[in-house]
């Protein structure tokens, strides 16, 4: 935890410079109390998340303890980072250096590992469905009743480019049609007056979690993944794997994946076949895709089946966690056997 005076400075006009200093200097040395705790604990390995300067502290600890370093590379560090551009550029380079320092590295998806470059011992560590998670009951097969709208649900971050894309999509779905967009999440960019209207007509469901979230997924006919088309979003969208995809695939509803061809969600949807891809920023193409799903039961069934296969093969806790543990145990055995400790 940062000292109180530093936290106060972060809220002043000098805040961005203070953030710069924290990014550059935090993790540059091992606090005595941390060293004492680590020495008492005597770990077999040092495990770290690689997005912040705490990974640099972990690297120093691993070297001093003479233990192997294991890093998890889940999000590119400049996403949402408060810092001036030169420090953000440094953070990207440092992220790659952290990757190379690890004796074992886990990337959230193959695209993250591609961006980080070659490594002798790097593995994919997908987000995974909680153990004992049960898929939702499937929707009724066959044609969709014309008496109710076919509902597309987006659940997630409503800020930045995601919120803007949803507003543009809303404008393309006129009221009273056979198609409907439902939205759940927080950090919305729209004004309060519009939010009240969206709540009153059942479009905006607020932030949902737990059973209300599962209920919303169960009521939906299809689920929407959005990946930003903006150039500023390119790095994060080409290296991140959205955890909501795990939730969506567990819901066993057809997915529409709306994003650029280079984004991880689009690449996975195409290679694994679990989503109907819209790779143009035009929201009218999303409406066309939704209408196609409404009228094509065979396509809906094919997408759900492909999603189930991908989830069971790559996104189950019983697959991801044992593989990661096996890799760590093998690393420790090789490290001890080599006399590196």
């Amino acid at each position: 935890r940062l000292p109180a005076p530093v936290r106060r400075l972060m809220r002043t006009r000098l805040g961005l410079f203070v953030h710069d200093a924290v990014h550059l200097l935090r993790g540059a040395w091992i606090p005595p109390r941390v060293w004492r705790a680590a020495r008492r604990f005597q770990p077999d390995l040092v495990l770290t998340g690689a997005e912040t300067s705490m990974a640099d502290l972990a690297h120093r600890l691993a070297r001093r303890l003479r233990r192997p370093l294991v890093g998890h590379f889940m999000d590119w560090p400049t996403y949402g980072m408060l810092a001036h551009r030169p420090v953000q550029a440094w953070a990207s380079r440092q992220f790659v250096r952290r990757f190379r320092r690890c004796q074992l590295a886990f990337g959230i998806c193959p695209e993250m590992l591609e961006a980080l470059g070659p490594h002798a011992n790097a593995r994919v560590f997908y987000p995974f469905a909680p153990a004992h998670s049960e898929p939702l009951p499937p929707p009724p097969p066959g044609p969709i009743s014309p008496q109710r709208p076919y509902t597309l649900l987006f659940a997630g971050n409503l800020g930045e480019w995601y919120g803007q894309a949803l507003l543009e999509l809303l404008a393309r779905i006129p009221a009273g049609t056979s198609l409907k967009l439902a939205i759940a999440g927080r950090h919305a960019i729209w004004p309060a007056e519009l939010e009240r209207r969206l709540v009153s007509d059942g479009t905006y469901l607020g932030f949902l979690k737990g059973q209300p979230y599962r209920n919303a997924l169960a009521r939906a006919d299809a689920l929407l993944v959005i990946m930003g088309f903006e150039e500023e979003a390119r790095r994060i969208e080409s290296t991140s794997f959205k955890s909501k995809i795990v939730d969506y695939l567990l819901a066993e509803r057809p997915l529409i994946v709306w994003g650029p061809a280079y984004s991880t969600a689009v690449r996975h949807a195409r290679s694994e076949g679990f989503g109907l891809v819209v790779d143009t920023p035009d929201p009218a193409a999303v409406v066309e895709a939704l209408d196609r799903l409404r009228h094509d039961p065979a396509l809906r069934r094919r997408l759900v089946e492909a999603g189930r296969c991908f989830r069971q093969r790559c996104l189950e806790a019983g697959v991801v966690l044992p593989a990661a543990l096996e890799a760590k145990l093998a690393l420790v055995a090789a490290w001890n056997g080599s006399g590196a400790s």
Side-chain angles (χ1 to χ4, degrees):
R1 185 175 172 84
L2 291 169
V6 175
R7 297 200 303 275
R8 284 197 296 271
L9 276 172
M10 284 178 164
R11 296 191 291 270
T12 70
R13 287 178 297 176
L14 298 174
L16 206 57
F17 292 98
V18 178
H19 278 283
D20 289 344
V22 169
H23 292 308
L24 292 169
L25 300 176
R26 198 179 191 190
W29 62 87
I30 303 173
R33 61 183 177 82
V34 173
W35 171 243
R36 288 193 297 270
R39 192 169 53 179
R40 281 196 306 270
F41 186 65
Q42 284 299 306
D44 293 302
L45 55 80
V46 176
L47 179 67
T48 184
E51 288 75 23
T52 73
S53 53
M54 290 298 94
D56 303 323
L57 171 61
H59 171 60
R60 286 176 168 78
L61 271 175
R63 287 180 57 187
R64 194 165 172 185
L65 291 166
R66 301 183 69 183
R67 303 309 303 165
L69 178 65
V70 179
H72 280 261
F73 295 76
M74 311 306 283
D75 285 305
W76 204 267
T78 52
Y79 179 60
M81 182 182 184
L82 291 174
H84 287 98
R85 288 193 179 277
V87 176
Q88 291 189 12
W90 168 87
S92 284
R93 295 192 300 271
Q94 188 70 357
F95 194 56
V96 175
R97 284 192 286 265
R98 291 168 189 158
F99 179 69
R100 293 171 180 166
R101 289 169 180 164
C102 290
Q103 280 71 49
L104 171 62
F106 292 106
I108 194 168
C109 58
E111 292 83 357
M112 173 66 85
L113 296 181
E114 287 175 15
L116 288 167
H119 192 286
N121 194 16
R123 317 288 179 89
V124 173
F125 187 95
Y126 280 114
F128 52 87
H132 312 299
S133 297
E134 291 295 330
L136 293 176
I144 302 296
S145 168
Q147 272 68 52
R148 67 173 184 85
Y150 190 71
T151 301
L152 176 67
L153 172 68
F154 174 86
N157 179 13
L158 306 180
E160 300 176 314
W161 42 83
Y162 309 114
Q164 185 59 43
L166 288 166
L167 288 177
E168 293 172 7
L169 181 56
L170 271 172
R172 291 296 188 126
I173 304 179
T177 66
S178 60
L179 304 176
K180 179 182 178 180
L181 177 64
I183 302 170
R186 53 185 170 187
H187 309 307
I189 63 170
W190 47 65
E193 182 180 347
L194 175 58
E195 182 165 312
R196 285 192 293 270
R197 180 170 66 80
L198 295 176
V199 170
S200 67
D201 68 13
T203 297
Y204 181 46
L205 310 177
F207 175 67
L208 303 177
K209 61 181 180 178
Q211 193 58 45
Y213 177 44
R214 285 178 57 85
N215 292 342
L217 292 171
R219 289 192 299 269
D221 296 294
L223 303 169
L224 177 64
V225 178
I226 299 176
M227 306 293 278
F229 286 88
E230 291 78 0
E231 188 58 32
E232 64 183 289
R234 187 181 185 105
R235 175 67 83 175
I236 186 66
E237 303 295 50
S238 63
T239 58
S240 68
F241 189 90
K242 306 296 185 187
S243 59
K244 75 163 68 69
I245 293 177
V246 182
D247 299 338
Y248 282 5
L249 294 180
L250 199 59
E252 300 213 332
R253 300 300 190 267
L255 271 61
I256 293 177
V257 181
W258 185 19
Y262 57 75
S263 64
T264 55
V266 167
R267 291 178 64 177
H268 277 75
R270 283 184 165 143
S271 64
E272 301 293 341
F274 62 69
L276 191 56
V277 169
V278 177
D279 60 3
T280 169
D282 183 2
V286 180
V287 178
E288 291 173 10
L290 185 60
D291 193 55
R292 180 183 170 195
L293 281 178
R294 177 185 175 87
H295 292 97
D296 194 337
L299 173 61
R300 297 197 301 268
R301 187 167 54 251
R302 189 164 65 248
L303 294 176
V304 169
E305 289 173 355
R308 184 185 305 124
C309 290
F310 175 58
R311 189 194 79 233
Q312 292 174 344
R313 192 176 73 252
C314 297
L315 307 180
E316 298 282 3
V319 173
V320 176
L321 295 179
L325 178 59
E326 182 181 351
K328 292 170 187 173
L329 292 175
L331 172 65
V332 171
W335 185 272
N336 292 338
S338 70
S341 59

